[in-house]
Amino acid sequence: MVAAQGLGVPYLSAYLDAVGSNFSHGVNFATWASTIRPQNITLNRGGFSPISLNVQWNQFYQFQSRTQYFRSQGGVYEELLPKAEYFSEALYTFDIGQNDLTAGYFLNLSTNEVRSYVPDLMDQFRTIIKNIYGGGGEVFLDTQYRPSWVSPICDGPSAHQGQPSGPSWMRQPIQRGFREPLRACCGHGGKYNFNSHVGCGGKIKVKGKEILVGKSCKDPSVVINWDEVHYTEAANKWVFDRIVDGSFSYPPVPLACHRVE
């Protein structure tokens, strides 16, 4: 949402919400709690999406071929489906991978055990990038934060042996207009305002009545952490601005774009 607003482009319609959607300017294949590697446990047990990155790739592959077939039929399809050249002109964005690490910790794996499957994780991610590139994609943006012991996708795990640490901007929140980088804005209880049983929007029963206890903080605009899982919109906006100006890229390259009128 922040990216669409900042770039002045329409929101992307979800691939799975195909009926009546307009895909002429792009499509969103993301799902809640998705991972790069397929998870070997059910959604109810693990809490992660069954639509992993390889499934999303297959959806994209079908989307690319089928949209061109239907668009060639003319009529309304020409208005709702992308032109063939858009696939090579598009910006392919990825924000996935953190849940793969979290999944390991949910299974009570140690950091060393989680670290051991990172090479396979990055290999699978690299394969998807190569597949899209082979189909005409040229510009890719990976925005997913990963621990300090996981280096960019071309290199796999680095030699750094430290524990996972937050991005540097989270360690200097005051200088960037934020407060309490680790404490959740919306939640309930404890040092970090987080309770795994009563989260953001959570209620408890008191004398037979439900009472909302997972409330939002007064000013989310100065908080980084929304609910111990997601950033606040203010934090997302801060990161987005630095993606656009290139300061979060390596090498530093501004994200050039044209506003859609």
Side-chain angles (χ1 to χ4, degrees), residues 98 101-102 105 109-112 114-115 118 145-150 160-167 171 182:
Q98 184 65 43
L101 307 182
T102 305
Y105 290 117
L109 300 183
S110 67
T111 295
N112 285 335
V114 171
R115 185 183 286 140
V118 169
Y145 154 69
R146 296 183 179 90
S148 57
W149 43 264
V150 181
H160 183 70
Q161 297 298 313
Q163 294 297 313
S165 59
R171 297 196 292 269
L182 299 180

Side-chain angles (χ1 to χ4, degrees), residues 186-189 198-206 209-217 226:
C186 187
H188 172 67
V198 185
C200 181
K203 300 177 180 180
I204 61 174
K205 279 192 175 183
V206 178
K209 293 184 179 181
E210 283 194 336
I211 298 178
L212 176 66
V213 293
K215 300 179 181 179
S216 170
C217 57
W226 171 245

Side-chain angles (χ1 to χ4, degrees), residues 18 67 78 97 103 148 175 213:
T67 53
E78 289 187 346
S148 57
Q175 295 91 321
V213 293

Side-chain angles (χ1 to χ4, degrees), residues 138-189:
E138 297 181 359
V139 184
F140 302 87
L141 175 64
D142 174 26
T143 63
Q144 176 62 59
Y145 154 69
R146 296 183 179 90
S148 57
W149 43 264
V150 181
S151 62
I153 62 173
C154 294
D155 302 320
S158 69
H160 183 70
Q161 297 298 313
Q163 294 297 313
S165 59
S168 60
W169 65 277
M170 289 183 66
R171 297 196 292 269
Q172 297 176 318
I174 303 300
Q175 295 91 321
R176 292 164 173 79
F178 294 104
R179 300 195 304 259
E180 300 182 290
L182 299 180
R183 182 175 171 82
C185 171
C186 187
H188 172 67

Side-chain angles (χ1 to χ4, degrees), residues 21 35 41 106 115 117 123 139 147 181 203 214 221 232 239 248:
S21 292
T35 56
I41 54 178
F106 279 11
R115 185 183 286 140
Y117 63 70
D123 282 344
V139 184
K203 300 177 180 180
S221 68
T232 60
V239 173
F248 269 14

